[in-house]
Amino acid sequence: MTARQITQVFDQYQKARTQFVQTIAELASRPQNIELLQDADVMSLLRPLLLDVVPNVQQTAAVALGRLANHNDDLAEAVVKGDILPQLVHSLANQNKFYKKAATFVLRAVARHSPLLAQKVVDCGALDALVACLEEFDPGVKEAAAWALGYIARHNEELSQAVVDAGAIPLVLLCLQEPELSLKRIAASVLSDISKHSPDLAQTVVDVGAIGHLAPLVLSPDTKLKRQVFSALSQISKHSVDLAERVVEAEVFPAALTSLKDTDEYVQKNAATLVREIVKHTPELAQLIVNAGGVAAIVDFIGETKGNVRLPGIMMLGYVAAHSEVLAMATIVSKGVLQLAEALVDEQEDHIKAATAWALGQMGRHSPEHAKAVAEINVLPKLLLCYLSTDSSEDLQLKSKKALKNVLQKCVYLPALEPLLKDAPPNILKHVVAQFSKVLPHDAKARRLFVSSGGLKKVQEIKTEPGTALQEFINTINNCFPPEIVSYYSPGYSDALLERIEQYTPPAATAQ
């Protein structure tokens, strides 16, 4: 056999390997092929090709493995059990940029599924290799490494701490300052994933100067970058007053409020989340946002959005209103109650309705004036319906009940209370009747209106046990009216009248 023929055999073998990995990588990109590939034991065939002498075969084999592992946790587990991870990590230090991108893709694909699989990636020494990749010249390698680190960090505090301990944060911050937008996005995302778990981790991110580099990016024209920047600032702000103040001092307002009208709903939601995380801490921070026009902006935002996008805005109003009478009145004056009342009816998800009910309760619990503002737009029957509905979740029922009690205990606007006399269960009715018993003894006009509107009749129809608080309130109300009026509106009074008519003998009939 000639040298040419021998060379030809090797060329054919190389072409066959190349074609094989390229075809598998292509097939692995389609979900419908995954099960068939799994049944064919494709993992065991790809593993030796990671050590192939041809770089292109190595890289494509890694891409195919990444796509398979990305699909589900069973395949990711198969990568772990096949001892593929140590091989990838070891190769990261010596290979070219194309292989590094492919290998980090596999690490990311495995880590994304669960904390346990992410821990397996950490255990094989991947963190040091990934952090080293952040120092590469090629932006694509940096991006792939940062992405993998983010998927590890997002699961829990322990994994995030491991990423921090590997020295990732300063290098991720440098990535944030690179000109490539895709790298900036991933870097902001990693900072968000690390910050979210604990105050200490968020403080670590802040200590390297992250806020100063994140804050100017809220003005970026790039939508995807703004999503990640607002997310990161929110995750930092949520942990403590000090961290929230640091974010505010970085002058992210009024840009954050302007972003509530962004065309991208994720930017809107993340900007609203940032506002919520800041106002929840103290009355002073809430007042700062109110002074910047934050409440009016959030009220508009709630009116223009639906579903989970509007949820942080709803909660923001609740947090502001909870702090003080003055701040609660600021939410009311800005038409916040009206928007929340609409959300309570329009929204389909119980967790959003529950947040809305809670926010309404915070607005109305401070004084009779606050309670009237909530009650006069017919919110109370809607809260009662949420509380009584068998379709409502336990959380929605609980928050609706609490909101009702909060508002009822301050409400002296009787026209809004009357509809509840008919439908409210005893535990709510007690609070309704209590308010009538406070107002009626001192207000003749209200007493007259109470009779003419049918309120007194409804009170007489309430069934209660002697000696209960509810019965005491009813007695107080009845004592506000002449006994004959009370009797007239009591159940059975018409029957008693008819009986008296039957027993009554006219004077003319007696004379005959």
Side-chain angles (χ1 to χ4, degrees):
M1 186 176 277
T2 65
R4 184 180 175 185
Q5 287 173 317
I6 293 172
T7 305
Q8 195 172 10
V9 171
F10 281 97
D11 286 345
Q12 286 172 345
Y13 179 47
Q14 181 177 322
K15 285 175 185 174
R17 298 197 313 278
T18 304
Q19 186 178 2
F20 174 75
V21 290
Q22 285 175 345
T23 306
I24 294 298
E26 179 64 28
L27 290 171
S29 64
R30 299 187 182 93
Q32 64 267 29
N33 298 329
I34 299 296
E35 194 173 338
L36 294 169
L37 290 170
Q38 196 170 1
D39 292 341
D41 196 21
V42 71
M43 291 291 187
S44 61
L45 296 171
L46 288 171
R47 184 177 180 237
L49 295 174
L50 290 170
L51 298 172
D52 199 276
V53 292
V54 180
N56 187 43
V57 173
Q58 293 179 5
Q59 294 152 24
T60 314
V63 170
L65 278 169
R67 287 177 180 172
L68 289 163
N70 200 47
H71 185 73
N72 63 42
D73 51 359
D74 287 340
L75 285 162
E77 188 69 47
V79 171
V80 173
K81 287 179 179 174
D83 281 333
I84 292 170
L85 296 181
Q87 198 171 308
L88 288 168
V89 171
H90 178 71
S91 304
L92 269 175
N94 322 318
Q95 297 284 2
N96 64 30
K97 64 181 180 180
F98 302 107
Y99 183 88
K100 287 179 179 178
K101 283 190 270 191
T104 51
F105 171 51
V106 180
L107 296 174
R108 180 184 102 214
V110 172
R112 71 185 286 264
H113 291 290
S114 70
L116 184 63
L117 285 167
Q119 187 62 55
K120 296 286 187 186
V121 173
V122 173
D123 292 343
C124 73
L127 289 180
D128 289 339
L130 289 169
V131 169
C133 286
L134 292 176
E135 298 186 84
E136 288 282 329
F137 178 75
D138 184 73
V141 174
K142 291 181 185 177
E143 184 184 328
W147 208 345
L149 288 166
Y151 271 110
I152 293 167
R154 69 178 48 182
H155 288 294
N156 58 43
E157 186 178 345
E158 291 74 20
L159 287 164
S160 266
Q161 190 62 56
V163 170
V164 171
D165 293 342
I169 291 182
L171 294 170
V172 170
L173 196 60
L174 287 174
C175 291
L176 189 67
Q177 299 167 60
E178 294 285 351
E180 291 80 13
L181 276 174
S182 57
L183 184 54
K184 283 178 181 287
R185 292 173 197 150
I186 300 301
S189 174
V190 175
L191 294 174
S192 177
D193 287 330
I194 292 171
S195 301
K196 71 183 182 182
H197 295 293
S198 73
D200 288 343
L201 284 166
Q203 189 66 56
T204 304
V205 170
V206 172
D207 287 345
V208 296
I211 293 176
H213 293 290
L214 285 166
L217 297 176
V218 299
L219 297 170
S220 168
D222 184 70
T223 296
K224 291 179 181 176
L225 177 57
K226 279 197 291 187
R227 288 180 192 172
Q228 301 301 340
V229 168
F230 279 122
S231 174
L233 291 171
S234 302
Q235 300 295 1
I236 291 169
S237 301
K238 75 179 184 182
H239 293 292
S240 70
V241 177
D242 179 57
L243 290 170
E245 286 175 346
R246 296 278 290 273
V247 171
V248 171
E249 286 164 5
E251 298 181 357
V252 294
F253 296 97
L257 300 179
T258 308
S259 294
L260 293 171
K261 291 190 177 293
D262 197 275
T263 52
D264 183 79
E265 64 178 22
Y266 293 104
V267 172
Q268 288 181 299
K269 182 183 177 183
N270 291 353
T273 303
L274 172 60
V275 179
R276 178 192 72 192
E277 298 299 355
I278 288 171
V279 301
K280 75 179 185 183
H281 290 293
T282 65
E284 291 75 21
L285 280 169
Q287 188 66 60
L288 200 68
I289 302 303
V290 170
N291 294 345
V295 169
I298 287 287
V299 170
D300 288 345
F301 163 76
I302 294 170
E304 293 163 4
T305 53
K306 299 291 178 194
N308 279 313
V309 176
R310 81 197 322 191
L311 180 59
I314 290 168
M315 294 179 70
M316 179 272 189
L317 291 182
Y319 281 128
V320 171
H323 284 303
S324 72
E325 286 187 28
V326 173
L327 287 167
M329 190 51 72
T331 64
I332 291 167
V333 169
S334 296
K335 305 285 192 299
V337 177
L338 203 59
Q339 292 293 2
L340 292 181
E342 288 179 12
L344 196 62
V345 175
D346 294 343
E347 287 298 337
Q348 303 301 313
E349 298 285 340
D350 278 5
H351 69 282
I352 301 174
K353 287 188 171 187
T356 307
W358 167 78
L360 285 165
Q362 298 306 317
M363 287 180 180
R365 72 181 176 85
H366 294 282
S367 74
E369 190 181 357
H370 291 79
K372 181 183 177 183
V374 172
E376 67 184 353
I377 58 168
N378 205 34
V379 164
L380 298 181
K382 293 168 187 170
L383 286 170
L384 183 63
L385 185 64
C386 290
Y387 172 51
L388 295 177
S389 174
T390 53
D391 295 330
S392 295
S393 67
E394 186 179 343
D395 186 48
L396 175 54
Q397 289 178 333
L398 190 67
K399 286 194 167 59
S400 298
K401 176 185 171 185
K402 180 71 174 169
L404 271 169
K405 287 184 176 178
N406 280 345
V407 178
L408 288 173
Q409 286 169 354
K410 294 292 183 180
C411 187
V412 293
Y413 180 63
L414 301 188
L417 299 180
E418 276 194 37
L420 302 185
L421 287 172
K422 182 182 177 184
D423 301 319
N427 60 331
I428 300 295
L429 198 57
K430 175 177 69 176
H431 298 286
V432 177
V433 177
Q435 296 309 103
F436 281 104
S437 72
K438 291 175 188 174
V439 176
L440 292 175
H442 313 291
D443 191 333
K445 187 178 177 183
R447 291 197 293 272
R448 182 184 178 87
L449 192 62
F450 190 60
V451 173
S452 62
S453 66
L456 185 60
K457 183 174 185 293
K458 287 177 186 171
V459 167
Q460 305 315 310
E461 291 167 356
I462 295 172
K463 293 174 182 172
T464 182
E465 297 292 325
T468 59
L470 181 55
Q471 184 61 59
E472 291 298 318
F473 296 142
I474 291 172
N475 292 342
T476 304
I477 292 170
N478 289 344
N479 289 337
C480 297
F481 301 94
E484 60 270 23
I485 297 293
V486 175
S487 298
Y488 177 76
Y489 286 106
S490 297
Y493 182 71
S494 56
D495 294 336
L497 281 180
L498 288 171
E499 192 176 323
R500 285 180 62 187
I501 290 169
E502 288 173 6
Q503 294 172 356
Y504 181 70
T505 306
T510 307
Q512 292 175 353

